[in-house]
C-alpha cells in the first residue's frame, strides 16, 4: 500500500510544503510542491534577515499547506507521515516549521521525522531521476552551503568529503553582485550578465587549489575580494567597469573549482554518479561545465530541474519518504530544531 | 465546551484543557514548565500530556485558544505555530488572546492594576486594567518606569518592581484558566476567530547596508 508523506521546510527564506507518494517498490512520486518566499522582503537588506524570515514563515505556513493539499487533491487525513527540516538553518525559522510539524503529526496521529535539509537537497533528485545508485557523489551549492558529499544510503549514510572554509558559493554571488551594482539575490543577474561576457577576460584566483590545500574543501572569500579589488582598481583609473566580463570571469572561476573538485572526488573514489543540487545548481555555466567534464570522465551527471534545486517542501517530503521506506525510527515529540545539524545526521 | 489552551509568550510553556460553561471555566489538566529556551521542544508534548491526563481525545475538542503575546519572538511563535497547525489539522477554530489579558483574567483585586511581562533587553511589555479587569491601556513595550499604578501582576513586575513603583500580585504567568476566560466571549459566541497574529510590538532588527566598503585603501 502506497503512503503519503508531507514535507515541511522553513530553514531559510522559503516556506515550503510538499506532498509525495511513496510506492511499494520504493519509488517516490511528487504530488505537490508549494512554496511561499520572503526573498523580496530581504532584498533591501542585501541578505536574509532572520527575524523577517521567521515572521514570514509563521504567516505562510498554514496557507502554503492548504495550497499543497488542494494542488494534490488530497485531504490532511490522507497523510501517513510528516517530515520536517530539523536543521541546519536559521534557528528561529526552523522552529516555526518544527513546531507546526509536531502539531500536524499529533493531530493526524502519524509519525514525525525531523530530517536534514542538506540530505533533502540530494533526495529531491529521486523525484525526477528515480532511485540513487549507491554510492553516489553530491555537490550542494547554494546561498547557505557548499559541500561535497558521499552518499551510500540517502536515508542513513552520508559522509562529508569537503565543504567551504568561508563563504558559500551563493554568498559570493550576492557579494559580487553588490560590487557590480546588480540586484539581490546575485545568482540570476550575474548568470545573465556573464552570458554576454568573456570568461577568460580576467584571471581570477581559484581558491583552495594549491598542492597543500585540502583536496575537497572550497574557499570563495579570496575570489570575492579579488573581484572587489579588480573593480576598485578600474574605478580608480577612471575606466568603465566591463560588468559582463567581470561577471563571466567570476562565474568561470566558481564553476571551474566546483566541477574540478567534484569530478576529481568521483574519480578518486571510483564513483560513477554525481548529483548537483542547491540554488546555485540552476546556474547555467556550472551545469554546462559539469556536463562537459562529467562526460569526459564517464560520470553520470544528475541535476534536478531548477524548481526542485532551490529550497522547497518536496525535497523534505522526498527525504522523509526514503527515511520511512528504510524503516528508520520516528522522531520524538520533544525534538529541537538544530541550526548546526551535521550533514551526516540524516534524521533525528 | 472543551477547549485546549496554549501560551508561550513568557518563560512559562503552558498547555491545558478546560471546559467552558457559561462563565465557568473548569481546568481539567494543565502542564507548565518555566524555561525560556524550551518553548519549541515542550509545547506540543505538554498539550499531548494535558489532553491525556484530562482523558480528552484531540477529536473531542471544540476549540483552541492561543496566547499571541506580546512576548519574545522565537518562543512566542512556537505556541502560535502549534495552535495554527492543530486548528488546521483538526478543523477547529483557534482563538487569539492577548497574553497579558490572560494574566489579568487571573487577577483578583479591587483596584486598577498593571500586567507587566519581561520583554528582555531591559524592557517590559505592559497593559493597564481597571478595577473590573477590563484593559484600558496597552499593550506596549518600553523601559520600566512609573506608570501611575500601585499594583502589578506578571513576572516583569517582579523583575522591575522598584522602577515601576508597584506591589506585586499574582498571577505571574498566563494560565489555562485565564486564557480560556479571556477568550470566553468569543468562544461562547462561536464567533469566527481573528488571525493568530503575534503581538510583536517591535520591528525586526535589520539595517539596510550603507555604501559598499572598499577592500583596497
Ligand atoms: Zn538549501
Amino acid at each position: 500500500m502506497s503512503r503519503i508523506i508531507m514535507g515541511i521546510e522553513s530553514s531559510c527564506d522559503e516556506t515550503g510544503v510538499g506532498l509525495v507518494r511513496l510506492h511499494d517498490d520504493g519509488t517516490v512520486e511528487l504530488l505537490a510542491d508549494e512554496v511561499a518566499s520572503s526573498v523580496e522582503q530581504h532584498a533591501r537588506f542585501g541578505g536574509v534577515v532572520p527575524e523577517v524570515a521567521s515572521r514570514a514563515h509563521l504567516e505562510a505556513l498554514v496557507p502554503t499547506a492548504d495550497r499543497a493539499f488542494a494542488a494534490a487533491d488530497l485531504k490532511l487525513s490522507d497523510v501517513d507521515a510528516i517530515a520536517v527540516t530539523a536543521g541546519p538553518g536559521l534557528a528561529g525559522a526552523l522552529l516555526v516549521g518544527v513546531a507546526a510539524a509536531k502539531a500536524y503529526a499529533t493531530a493526524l496521529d502519524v509519525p514525525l521525522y525531523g530530517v536534514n535539509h542538506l540530505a533533502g537537497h540530494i533526495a529531491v533528485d529521486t523525484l525526477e531521476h528515480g532511485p540513487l545508485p549507491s554510492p553516489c557523489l553530491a555537490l550542494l551549492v547554494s546561498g547557505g552551503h557548499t559541500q561535497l558529499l558521499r552518499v551510500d544510503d540517502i536515508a542513513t549514510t552520508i559522509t562529508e568529503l569537503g565543504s567551504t572554509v568561508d563563504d558559500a558559493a551563493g554568498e559570493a554571488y550576492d557579494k559580487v553582485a553588490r560590487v557590480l551594482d546588480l540586484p539581490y539575490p546575485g545568482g540570476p543577474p550575474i548568470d545573465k550578465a556573464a552570458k554576454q561576457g568573456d570568461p577568460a577576460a580576467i584571471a581570477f584566483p581559484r581558491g583552495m587549489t594549491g598542492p597543500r590545500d585540502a583536496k575537497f574543501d572550497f574557499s570563495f572569500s579570496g575570489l570575492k575580494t579579488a573581484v572587489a579589488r579588480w573593480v576598485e582598481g578600474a574605478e580608480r583609473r577612471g575606466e568603465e567597469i566591463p560588468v559582463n566580463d567581470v561577471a563571466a570571469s567570476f562565474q568561470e572561476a566558481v564553476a571551474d573549482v566546483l566541477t574540478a573538485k567534484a569530478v576529481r572526488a568521483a574519480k578518486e573514489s571510483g564513483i560513477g554518479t554525481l548529483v548537483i543540487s542547491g540554488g546555485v545548481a540552476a546556474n547555467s555555466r556550472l551545469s554546462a561545465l559539469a556536463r562537459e567534464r562529467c562526460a569526459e570522465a564517464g560520470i553520470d551527471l544528475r541535476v534536478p530541474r531548477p524548481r526542485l534545486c532551490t529550497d522547497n517542501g518536496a525535497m523534505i517530503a522526498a527525504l522523509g519518504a526514503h527515511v520511512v521506506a528504510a524503516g528508520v525510527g520516528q522522531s520524538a515529540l520533544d525534538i529541537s530544531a538544530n541550526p548546526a545539524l551535521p550533514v551526516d545526521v540524516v534524521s533525528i | 465546551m472543551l477547549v485546549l489552551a496554549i501560551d508561550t509568550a513568557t518563560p512559562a510553556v503552558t498547555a491545558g484543557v478546560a471546559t467552558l460553561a457559561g462563565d465557568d471555566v473548569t481546568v481539567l489538566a494543565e502542564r507548565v514548565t518555566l524555561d525560556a529556551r524550551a518553548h519549541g521542544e515542550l509545547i506540543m508534548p505538554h498539550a499531548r500530556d494535558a489532553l491525556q491526563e484530562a482523558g480528552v481525545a484531540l477529536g473531542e475538542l471544540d476549540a483552541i485558544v492561543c496566547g499571541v503575546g506580546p512576548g519574545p519572538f522565537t518562543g512566542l511563535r512556537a505556541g502560535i505555530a502549534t495552535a495554527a497547525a492543530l486548528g488546521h489539522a483538526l478543523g477547529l477554530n483557534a482563538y487569539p488572546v492577548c497574553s497579558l489579558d490572560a494574566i489579568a483574567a487571573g487577577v483578583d483585586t479591587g483596584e486598577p492594576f498593571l500586567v507587566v511581562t519581561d520583554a528582555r533587553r531591559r524592557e517590559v511589555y505592559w497593559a493597564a486594567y481597571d478595577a473590573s479587569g477590563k484593559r484600558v491601556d496597552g499593550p506596549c513595550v518600553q523601559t520600566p518606569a512609573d506608570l501611575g499604578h500601585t499594583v502589578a501582576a506578571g513576572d516583569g513586575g517582579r523583575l522591575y518592581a522598584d522602577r515601576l513603583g508597584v506591589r506585586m500580585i499574582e498571577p505571574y504567568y498566563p494560565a489555562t484558566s485565564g486564557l480560556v476566560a479571556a477568550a470566553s466571549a468569543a468562544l461562547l459566541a462561536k464567533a469566527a476567530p481573528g488571525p493568530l497574529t503575534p503581538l510583536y510590538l517591535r520591528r525586526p532588527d535589520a539595517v539596510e547596508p550603507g555604501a559598499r566598503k572598499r577592500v583596497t585603501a
Side-chain angles (χ1 to χ4, degrees):
Chain A
M1 213 181 70
S2 73
R3 282 168 282 183
I4 303 290
I5 319 294
M6 175 185 185
I8 298 175
E9 153 65 29
S10 72
S11 66
C12 192
D13 58 349
E14 321 276 353
T15 312
V17 177
L19 291 164
V20 301
R21 186 185 299 279
L22 168 62
H23 291 281
D24 291 341
D25 63 0
T27 58
V28 185
E29 178 195 353
L30 178 62
L31 303 177
D33 171 22
E34 293 294 323
V35 170
S37 178
S38 62
V39 65
E40 282 168 19
Q41 295 179 55
H42 306 288
R44 67 195 171 102
F45 301 109
V48 175
V49 181
E51 176 61 21
V52 172
S54 300
R55 291 184 181 194
H57 285 307
L58 183 60
E59 248 174 68
L61 212 143
V62 167
T64 306
D66 250 339
R67 291 210 312 274
F69 282 95
D73 197 16
L74 288 173
K75 300 184 298 294
L76 277 144
S77 56
D78 293 324
V79 169
D80 295 295
I82 311 263
V84 62
T85 302
L90 302 168
L94 288 166
L95 177 137
V96 173
V98 171
K102 289 178 181 182
Y104 279 119
T106 307
L108 301 172
D109 196 19
V110 297
L112 170 74
Y113 297 88
V115 299
N116 191 304
H117 176 86
L118 303 173
H121 273 305
I122 308 168
V124 77
D125 187 62
T126 63
L127 297 176
E128 194 168 353
H129 301 119
L132 290 165
S134 172
C136 67
L137 203 66
L139 174 66
L140 295 191
V141 269
S142 76
H145 13 270
T146 306
Q147 267 155 325
L148 197 52
L149 306 165
R150 177 191 166 106
V151 183
D152 286 283
D153 182 337
I154 186 62
T156 57
T157 315
I158 298 177
T159 321
E160 182 175 286
L161 301 180
S163 70
T164 180
V165 298
D166 41 56
D167 294 350
E171 239 177 309
Y173 268 88
D174 292 341
K175 289 172 179 168
V176 166
R178 211 160 123 62
V179 167
L180 295 174
D181 284 324
L182 295 171
Y184 169 90
I190 288 184
D191 199 6
K192 192 170 164 217
K195 283 179 184 153
Q196 331 281 313
D198 174 6
I202 308 154
F204 285 130
R206 270 53 172 169
M208 296 290 280
T209 51
R212 276 191 298 275
D213 288 327
K215 268 192 298 189
F216 302 131
D217 280 343
F218 304 95
S219 166
F220 296 104
S221 173
L223 170 61
K224 164 199 78 187
T225 307
V227 174
R229 271 179 199 283
W230 194 93
V231 168
E232 283 168 22
E235 277 169 351
R236 211 169 15 239
R237 294 189 297 274
E239 297 165 13
E240 197 177 321
I241 308 300
V243 171
N244 295 344
D245 285 350
V246 175
S249 301
F250 160 75
Q251 178 153 290
E252 192 65 18
V254 174
D256 181 21
V257 174
L258 288 172
T259 53
K261 293 206 177 206
V263 168
R264 180 175 178 189
K267 278 185 179 164
E268 285 191 11
S269 356
I271 294 177
T273 303
L274 171 66
V275 180
I276 303 184
S277 188
V280 180
N283 180 270
S284 66
R285 183 57 188 150
L286 176 62
S287 45
L289 193 56
R291 208 166 295 126
E292 205 177 286
R293 288 180 171 172
C294 283
E296 252 167 52
I299 297 164
D300 181 22
L301 175 67
R302 298 168 52 142
V303 184
R305 60 180 179 270
R307 179 69 172 75
L308 294 179
C309 277
T310 50
D311 291 352
N312 59 68
M315 66 190 235
I316 301 307
L319 177 58
H322 292 295
V323 168
V324 167
V328 174
Q330 69 190 76
S331 301
L333 205 54
D334 64 352
I335 55 166
S336 308
N338 181 354
L341 188 67
V343 69
D344 58 345
V345 181
V346 179
S347 65
I348 63 172
Chain B
M1 74 196 303
L2 273 168
V3 182
L4 173 69
I6 283 174
D7 191 284
T8 56
T10 71
V13 185
T14 301
V17 186
T19 57
L20 175 68
D23 282 345
D24 290 333
V25 179
T26 308
V27 176
L28 304 179
E30 183 172 43
R31 287 285 185 282
V32 182
T33 298
L34 284 186
D35 184 345
R37 295 195 308 189
H39 295 93
E41 288 77 5
L42 294 181
I43 188 62
M44 195 59 235
H46 275 13
R48 174 199 58 190
D49 294 349
L51 284 157
Q52 215 156 45
E53 186 191 316
V56 172
L58 276 161
E60 296 175 77
L61 289 172
D62 295 300
I64 297 165
V65 170
C66 181
V68 291
F73 310 153
T74 298
L76 176 61
R77 277 187 287 265
I80 297 176
T82 301
L86 283 176
H88 185 214
L90 298 167
L92 292 178
N93 282 338
Y95 292 85
V97 297
C98 170
S99 300
L100 302 177
D101 290 356
I103 295 175
V107 168
D108 183 16
T109 179
E111 53 185 320
F113 61 95
L114 292 172
V115 173
V116 185
T117 58
D118 183 12
R120 305 205 188 137
R121 302 185 199 172
R122 302 177 186 196
E123 291 189 322
V124 291
Y125 300 115
W126 66 271
Y129 298 80
D130 66 16
S132 74
K134 188 169 148 280
R135 171 150 48 95
V136 291
D137 200 359
C140 303
V141 62
Q142 67 170 76
T143 51
D146 189 337
L147 294 164
H149 284 262
T150 54
V151 290
D155 68 323
R158 254 195 315 189
L159 282 171
Y160 299 106
D162 283 355
R163 287 164 68 184
L164 292 157
V166 293
R167 179 169 54 81
M168 285 309 302
I169 51 173
E170 291 194 343
Y172 296 140
Y173 304 104
T176 300
S177 54
L179 288 159
V180 177
S184 61
L187 285 166
L188 292 170
K190 297 198 165 61
L196 288 178
T197 305
L199 295 167
Y200 289 121
L201 307 188
R202 282 183 186 135
R203 298 168 99 57
D205 285 328
V207 275
E208 290 182 42
R212 171 166 58 85
K213 278 196 224 104
R214 303 183 69 85
V215 298
T216 48

